Amino acid sequence: MSVFWSLVKLYVKSFYNLPGKKSPGTIAGSRPGLKPALKAVGVGALAILAVGNFAYLFVMLNLNLYQGLSMIGLQGLLVLNAAVMATMLTLVVGFMTALSTYFLNDMELQLLSMPIQPRALFAAKFVAVYISEAAFSLFFMTTAMVIFGLKEGPNPLFYLWGTLAALLLPLPALAACYMIQIPLLSLSRFLKNKRTIMIIAGVLGLVFGLAFNLYFQKMMPPVADPAARASAAAGPDSLVSRIGQAYPPALLAWRAMSDPVSPGALVAMLELVAACAIGPALAAFFLSGAYARSLVGFNESHVRKLSRSGAGAFIARRIRAGNPFLALVKREFDMMNREPMYLLNGPFIIILMPVIFGIMFVVQKDTLFSDPDLAGLRALFDGGLGAVIAGLAGAFLGSGTSIACTAVSRDAKALPFMKSLPVKPSSYMMAKLGHALAFGFFGSAIGVGLVAVAMRLGAGAVLSGGAVALSLSSLFNMLGLWLDTANPRLSWDNPIAAMKQNPNAVIAMLGAMALLGGSGWLSFRFSLGPGAFALWFGAVPAGAFAALLAAYPRYAEKRVAVMEG
Amino acid sequence: MLELSGISKTYAKSAVKAVDDLSITVKDGEIFGFLGPNGAGKTTTIKVLIGVLCADSGTARVDGIDIAADPLGAKRRIGYVTDNPELFARLKASEYLNFVGDIYGVDTATRQARVAEYASLFDIKDALGGSIGSFSHGMKQKLLVVASLLPDPQNWVLDEPMVGLDPRAAFALKETMRSRAAAGKTVFFSTHVMEVAEKLCDRLSIINKGRIVFTGTLEELKEMQGADGSLESLFLELVDEQAEAGA
Ligand SMILES: Nc1ncnc2c1ncn2[C@@H]1O[C@H](COP(=O)(O)OP(=O)(O)OP(=O)(O)O)[C@@H](O)[C@H]1O
Ligand SMILES: [Mg+2]
């Protein structure tokens, strides 16, 4: 096998933590018991449920869009939209993945010591990151294709072009991510502080993804707005050409798919292949060397040496007794917040999401508030909708940090040491819950606070929304921790495998989104007032949380005892 | 005092018996060496002894306390030095020491005195403010040793403690082991180097493929006579014999 493909294999295994082949010794005498089988079925069902929910969300999104667009005869734009969305998803998600996997600790050092061409090193990492982006893009494109296909019955070639486009579109986006990251992280050679740079890069990348997002939002006609609809219908060429100018690959994909059998489609697809190959080729050609150089000395850190007298003073100042439980909680905070990959993909969400929505809100303010029946909207907000939105936003932020649902997996390396300490497994796990709940509280407060300010909510709505946010996010965090206790990912060699590529995190995130969506729909359907909302979605989850909390310590004791880290 | 009796352990993920019907008793005031080649089951045995792994059968007692029945009581009497110092790279040395101190409930004055004493003994006093990730392998190892001594445990269990230590640190470690044994405390350590065991142990056990092939004092071991009279060759013979018998 060539160096390149061996590297790809290595990276893919390490990123996605694929189970290796079982060693021959394991077959003898290890009868698959009923319990593991049941567990696998349970986790599988949860995963299907979560992914299914997500698919449902995408399908609904596309279906709504289809209905809006077909009213004005522009249903073909559905495909264009899917192409743009696939790219945008890659930009934001891919940027984080690329950054998180930029340097893989000791494994990367080992590779640096080997006679490997920088180009092979970079290209292999690019491909490994690309795989998950392509899967995401394909998932999104497929939902759009299915809707369009069912409604319009296009030529089978439509699906072929669509699949190809979905696989191609993440390429330029991912190349763009690396074109930002490699120069930035090369710079840090002089700044000598990779951790700060990682975080700055994370913020920059998000801003970049957002800017792109906004750019397109301004391009797309607001489907709900009759005036914009008419203007788009009057000049569809102008709209399409505007998007085409902004992002030619999306336009090419759309062109091929909207007339799949014409020779023009083939030409467009060929152009698309060329357009999508340029970015990665340029990156591999010009940046591979810089990439490999930026890895050298990546894990250098600032070393502080104390003088003889300084050491004495240091001990007197810093070595101090504290509460054992708080020591456990503090350790949880430090272990997470000081690992850039964990920070960026976890607690950072609480800051990130409000920024995204804040910007979207500012941009769409005109369309939202120029609405003639603002008064009607006002009444809706005060009648309970405000509390619902605030509560759900808070619950989403409070449970979106992935702290609880990866708590055991992230700690896998330290598990033997932790188990050797005279600490009850239940307090050890409760410290993890405490960590998650603290961020749940922050997230709830920020979510509810921002919605309250944006919609100028009254005290009743804020209180009701706050109570719901707190109790729902606590329940989700508890469920997430339970999930990761039942089924932790204990053997990995790249920390990101315990976090982003952890199925528990995906299940918890999608599950929370589905439950929140359901709660929102129910409260809207039954037009619950702030009081009723607080009762059904505040008090009931709080009760469930309390019940789980009471049962958890015994379960944790049992589970931790048998974990073989 | 540490007692293992009839311990067997098979990892859930593999079908190989990592430890097979193993019994060892380490008395107070004794330095006990645990020898064996790579993969013999030393780390596994230690993990069962300190309550990190559950044994399939057999009991582990620490000062008479069954670790399965009263894990906290038993663990409070153990200071453990893991064989993997690459654990808490993101923490500062001082934070790690405080963490261990808090868990074992060591008060501020005692803690400061012990940190000062052992950090200067092992020559890492100047690095206490630094983050563990920036330490060399040996420095990490020394920090683990210092932390394990913070609660002044009755039983000191060390997994491959000499690996990566410079001669001065190795000497300091051996001296600390001796003085603790002299004070009536128990020292139990694993190694795969016969020389280390030879210079240090009161008694030792040799393990191979999960089974004990020898337990006794150095003199008893010497009486068995290796091919060229050295303990090293005797050790290799014991391990080979067993391998042939098992084959
Ligand atoms: N987490 C684990 N899962 C499955 N098998 C394991 C695990 N850890 C160790 N083993 C197996 O148990 C056996 C004993 O390993 P152990 O780590 O106890 O050896 P050791 O004597 O400490 O070796 P070394 O001198 O290399 O440290 C080996 O066959 C090993 O493959
Ligand atoms: Mg070992």
Side-chain angles (χ1 to χ4, degrees), chain B residues 39 41-44 83 159-160 190:
Chain B
K42 302 183 293 294
T43 300
T44 308
D83 61 340
D159 197 355
E160 308 275 4
S190 76

Side-chain angles (χ1 to χ4, degrees), chain A residues 63 80 96 102 115 160 193 205 243 281 286 301 328 391 444 537 563:
Chain A
L63 204 60
L80 185 58
M96 282 302 172
Y102 196 92
L160 178 67
N193 193 340
I243 290 188
F286 288 108
S301 55
L328 287 171
S444 300
F537 295 99
M563 279 178 199

Side-chain angles (χ1 to χ4, degrees), chain B residues 191-247:
Chain B
T191 178
H192 41 243
V193 185
M194 189 67 208
E195 267 182 9
V196 174
E198 201 177 338
K199 296 217 178 83
L200 209 56
C201 301
D202 299 314
R203 286 197 311 135
L204 56 101
S205 267
I206 298 177
I207 181 175
N208 189 37
K209 300 202 168 155
R211 288 169 177 275
I212 297 282
V213 291
F214 172 83
T215 301
T217 61
L218 270 177
E219 282 67 38
E220 286 166 354
L221 185 62
K222 278 177 188 154
E223 277 165 21
M224 295 175 73
Q225 278 298 343
D228 58 0
S230 81
L231 283 176
E232 198 73 52
S233 62
L234 184 59
F235 171 51
L236 291 174
E237 266 172 42
L238 275 173
V239 166
D240 282 346
E241 254 170 45
Q242 225 254 328
E244 276 156 28

Side-chain angles (χ1 to χ4, degrees), chain B residues 5-119:
Chain B
S5 52
I7 298 287
S8 292
K9 173 71 193 173
T10 305
Y11 282 96
K13 277 168 285 180
S14 77
V16 185
K17 257 194 178 174
V19 173
D20 192 0
D21 193 23
L22 177 145
S23 301
I24 294 176
T25 303
V26 187
K27 289 173 266 183
D28 286 345
E30 191 170 62
I31 303 183
F32 194 98
F34 194 36
L35 258 95
N38 294 134
K42 302 183 293 294
T43 300
T44 308
T45 307
I46 289 177
K47 283 184 173 168
V48 170
L49 172 66
I50 61 174
V52 168
L53 287 178
C54 298
D56 302 333
S57 60
T59 52
R61 290 174 185 280
V62 180
D63 295 338
I65 303 171
D66 184 346
I67 197 146
D70 178 10
L72 261 55
K75 286 175 188 177
R76 265 190 213 104
R77 307 179 149 268
I78 300 177
Y80 164 56
V81 178
T82 153
D83 61 340
N84 171 21
E86 312 293 329
L87 278 186
F88 297 112
R90 302 275 174 207
L91 296 188
K92 293 196 177 111
S94 57
E95 290 171 334
Y96 176 67
L97 291 171
N98 273 331
F99 174 72
V100 173
D102 288 346
I103 296 298
Y104 283 88
V106 184
D107 66 62
T108 302
T110 318
R111 193 183 297 193
Q112 290 181 347
R114 287 191 188 141
V115 168
E117 180 191 346
Y118 292 119

